[in-house]
Amino acid sequence: MSRVILEISHLHKVFDTNTVIEDLSLTVHEGEVVVIIGPSGCGKSTLLRCINALETIQGGEIKLHGNTVSKNSKDLHEIRQKIGMVFQNYELFPHMTVLDNVMLAPMKAQGRKKSEVREEALALLKRVGLESKADSYPRQLSGGQKQRTAIVRALCMHPEILLFDEVTAALDPQMVREVLEVILDLANAGKTMLVVTHEMQFARAVADRIVFFDDGQIIEQAAPDEFFDHPKTDKAKQFLNTFTFERDRSTTNRA
Amino acid sequence: MDKEFIKQYIPLYSEAALLTVKIGFLGIAAAIIIGLVCETIVYFKIPVLRRIVSVYIELSRNTPLLIQLFFIYYGLPKIGIRTDAQMCGIAGLAFLGGSYMAEAFRSGVEAIDVIQEESAYSLGLSKLQTVRYVLLPQAISISAPALIANVIFLLKETSVFSAISLMDLMFTAKDLIGLYYNTTESLFLLVVFYLLILLPVSVIGSLIERRLRHAGYGV
Ligand SMILES: Nc1ncnc2c1ncn2[C@@H]1O[C@H](COP(=O)(O)OP(=O)(O)O)[C@@H](O)[C@H]1O
Ligand SMILES: [Mg+2]
């Protein structure tokens, strides 16, 4: 198999007395798309936040390319440059245009040349169909456009891995697709990604591996077809059932 | 009203107004700097200094400007620091205003969701870069109304400077009333000159506020 990008071993995360992640180990290889699914409140966001040290951890280790990621690392902001994060609510900088949002970190954090960054930013915006929005402010965009901007902002840093935390959960249904297509496109381009989502069809289409997560532990992981067609654990079956129930009901309604 | 009297004393009032504006401007500029420094100390939780800032803010906000001025004007010479009335006026305004400006900046910083900060960190920006490019610009635009209100408040507070014999507007009006008993005219001029100073500030203030809002701030 190709080289390891992210290696999480025996991760422990506790909020006060509430253990959210317990002895979790997970490895992501270069070019791999790992999709994490699981009921809400099971610790998916917390896991992603631990990976770029937005949370302190109480045990275990997270390594990116062999470098330990920790809140105390001296070179933390250099490590973070290699981890792209896309949040559920976009978190664009409201006082900057789309283009400035994308260009800020490459210029200030990486010290790259303005002309070069600008060219790349515009090319990336074009790739996601936002070239005409470069000079707009976030408040002038739809949710889907904001999220595509956030993805471009992360991409422009040339991260080694992209983390997506339910990036379509805040979107109106008609905008979900435009964002998922961008992610699918990135997956096809060979980007390494860790994706948290509730969109099961999308998970199946984009994933190399599905990780089913509950109560802060990995319950089951498998290739997508195998996981969705033949889930092994009761918890996974139950979880998948909550989705098929909705489908069944809609077919009966139509009948 | 005695029109001749008013005409005759317009130059004197103009001079006093100029002094009020000068002290006001310098004092407020210093207050803004003090406010920024205080908020930076609080934001970065710098030990010891942080304590000093909170004591200063309590002291500054909970004592009247007049008393602060007396302390500076009569107190400092006692411990060997010589000052003139103008310096005292500027220092007093800065001492009072610094805490108000700090509180305005703080409310601006606190109004920004922490996830904005996390979003900047996750892009690999350092703490300083995050403050400089992400938090400060947003904090200033959120604080703008409070900052502008503080500027107007502080300009009005300059009216107590006459107590340390600064020849400002209030001093001039009191002086003329004492000399000639032309109360109506003297007070009329006082009000007009204060309005001449404050109205433009107020108008420019709301223009700035509107501009900041329209520059794409807010979600
Ligand atoms: N900052 C926090 N402080 C305390 N508890 C938290 C915090 N963030 C998350 N939690 C708790 O951790 C658990 C996992 O949350 P989260 O990672 O957001 O789940 P998910 O993303 O899977 O829905 C929840 O029980 C939540 O209440
Ligand atoms: Mg979540």
Side-chain angles (χ1 to χ4, degrees):
Chain A
M1 208 157 192
S2 51
R3 57 186 188 142
V4 171
I5 298 273
L6 178 72
E7 188 172 14
I8 303 171
S9 38
H10 307 292
L11 176 65
H12 233 76
K13 172 67 200 170
V14 182
F15 285 114
D16 301 319
T17 55
N18 178 14
T19 301
V20 176
I21 294 173
E22 206 175 347
D23 194 26
L24 178 138
S25 298
L26 179 70
T27 304
V28 181
H29 295 263
E30 185 167 24
E32 198 180 14
V33 178
V34 174
V35 172
I36 301 177
I37 60 177
S40 57
C42 72
K44 304 180 296 295
S45 299
T46 304
L47 173 65
L48 295 194
R49 291 169 55 81
C50 289
I51 294 172
N52 59 11
L54 292 175
E55 301 286 352
T56 51
I57 61 177
Q58 282 67 46
E61 199 172 29
I62 298 170
K63 282 185 167 178
L64 185 82
H65 261 332
N67 300 316
T68 303
V69 188
S70 130
K71 256 200 146 141
N72 312 318
S73 309
K74 270 209 112 161
D75 51 353
L76 180 59
H77 60 268
E78 277 163 39
I79 297 176
R80 278 172 169 161
Q81 288 168 23
K82 298 180 189 145
I83 306 171
M85 174 104 173
V86 184
F87 297 87
Q88 183 171 333
N89 291 308
Y90 339 116
E91 307 312 332
L92 297 175
F93 305 132
H95 58 297
M96 292 180 192
T97 62
V98 164
L99 190 60
D100 289 338
N101 262 279
V102 177
M103 290 172 63
L104 178 69
M107 280 168 54
K108 303 301 175 192
Q110 293 180 320
R112 281 155 62 192
K113 262 180 56 195
K114 185 172 180 176
S115 55
E116 177 247 332
V117 174
R118 193 185 151 83
E119 200 174 316
E120 182 179 4
L122 287 171
L124 286 171
L125 286 171
K126 187 165 180 191
R127 181 163 158 196
V128 302
L130 287 177
E131 66 269 39
S132 63
K133 298 291 180 189
D135 296 321
S136 304
Y137 283 92
R139 70 188 162 90
Q140 298 165 315
L141 304 182
S142 71
Q145 292 169 332
K146 281 187 219 179
Q147 199 55 292
R148 282 182 280 155
T149 303
I151 294 172
V152 166
R153 185 174 68 172
L155 272 180
C156 204
M157 294 292 288
H158 308 154
E160 310 214 351
I161 185 168
L162 282 160
L163 313 177
F164 293 91
D165 189 6
E166 295 196 38
V167 294
T168 58
L171 297 178
D172 291 336
Q174 70 270 22
M175 289 168 190
V176 169
R177 198 185 174 87
E178 66 189 49
V179 172
L180 294 185
E181 270 169 2
V182 170
I183 302 175
L184 208 54
D185 180 41
L186 294 173
N188 291 334
K191 293 268 189 283
T192 312
M193 307 196 280
L194 194 53
V195 184
V196 171
T197 185
H198 277 301
E199 301 284 336
M200 292 303 138
Q201 285 186 334
F202 167 69
R204 193 167 183 152
V206 81
D208 294 314
R209 175 161 42 121
I210 302 279
V211 171
F212 175 63
F213 204 56
D214 197 4
D215 285 333
Q217 286 175 316
I218 295 176
I219 306 293
E220 184 171 340
Q221 51 181 320
D225 287 342
E226 189 180 333
F227 175 80
F228 286 107
D229 295 337
H230 310 288
K232 289 192 184 60
T233 56
D234 287 342
K235 273 189 176 168
K237 282 176 196 162
Q238 245 173 27
F239 176 73
L240 289 174
N241 255 333
T242 58
F243 290 89
T244 44
F245 171 71
E246 282 165 30
R247 203 193 303 154
D248 287 349
R249 191 175 52 179
S250 62
T251 26
T252 25
N253 281 351
R254 240 179 278 135
Chain B
M1 257 201 283
D2 184 344
K3 283 199 186 113
E4 276 311 303
F5 179 90
I6 290 177
K7 246 190 221 156
Q8 192 185 340
Y9 285 102
I10 281 180
L12 192 66
Y13 271 88
S14 304
E15 219 169 285
L18 229 57
L19 184 73
T20 299
V21 168
K22 179 182 152 198
I23 292 175
F25 178 81
L26 291 173
I28 287 167
I32 289 174
I33 292 168
I34 293 173
L36 263 177
V37 170
C38 288
E39 173 49 23
T40 309
I41 289 170
V42 170
Y43 178 77
F44 283 105
K45 301 195 174 72
I46 300 174
V48 188
L49 288 180
R50 193 178 162 200
R51 280 286 176 74
I52 296 174
V53 166
S54 72
V55 170
Y56 156 67
I57 287 179
E58 289 307 314
L59 250 175
S60 154
R61 289 184 67 105
N62 296 314
T63 51
L65 177 58
L66 193 56
I67 291 175
Q68 297 173 5
L69 279 176
F70 281 164
F71 257 92
I72 296 170
Y73 191 64
Y74 297 109
L76 288 186
K78 288 225 164 76
I79 56 168
I81 300 171
R82 302 183 66 85
T83 48
D84 60 18
Q86 282 198 24
M87 271 314 291
C88 284
I90 294 167
L93 210 54
F95 184 85
L96 173 74
S99 65
Y100 280 83
M101 295 299 181
E103 297 285 272
F105 283 122
R106 193 172 57 91
S107 66
V109 170
E110 281 176 1
I112 305 170
D113 205 324
V114 278
I115 199 162
Q116 277 281 310
E117 201 180 330
E118 294 176 344
S119 165
Y121 289 156
S122 75
L123 284 164
L125 293 167
S126 68
K127 189 151 188 170
L128 212 60
Q129 287 168 336
T130 300
V131 171
R132 161 88 176 72
Y133 299 109
V134 177
L135 301 182
L136 196 60
Q138 292 188 61
I140 287 176
S141 89
I142 297 169
S143 322
L147 292 173
I148 290 160
N150 285 347
V151 168
I152 291 169
F153 158 74
L154 291 172
L155 282 174
K156 287 194 286 197
E157 286 293 296
T158 58
S159 57
V160 307
F161 286 161
S162 55
I164 54 167
S165 348
L166 261 175
M167 312 261 261
D168 72 335
L169 282 173
M170 194 68 182
F171 185 92
T172 305
K174 279 201 230 166
D175 205 30
L176 291 181
I177 293 169
L179 283 174
Y180 307 112
Y181 303 105
N182 277 12
T183 315
T184 319
E185 289 80 4
S186 301
L187 289 182
F188 173 73
L189 280 167
L190 179 65
V191 170
V192 167
F193 272 88
Y194 259 112
L195 282 178
L196 279 177
I197 295 173
L198 288 167
L199 278 181
V201 173
S202 173
V203 170
I204 292 168
S206 26
L207 282 179
I208 293 174
E209 259 175 64
R210 198 160 340 140
R211 239 200 96 81
L212 285 177
R213 252 203 313 270
H214 280 258
Y217 290 86
V219 193

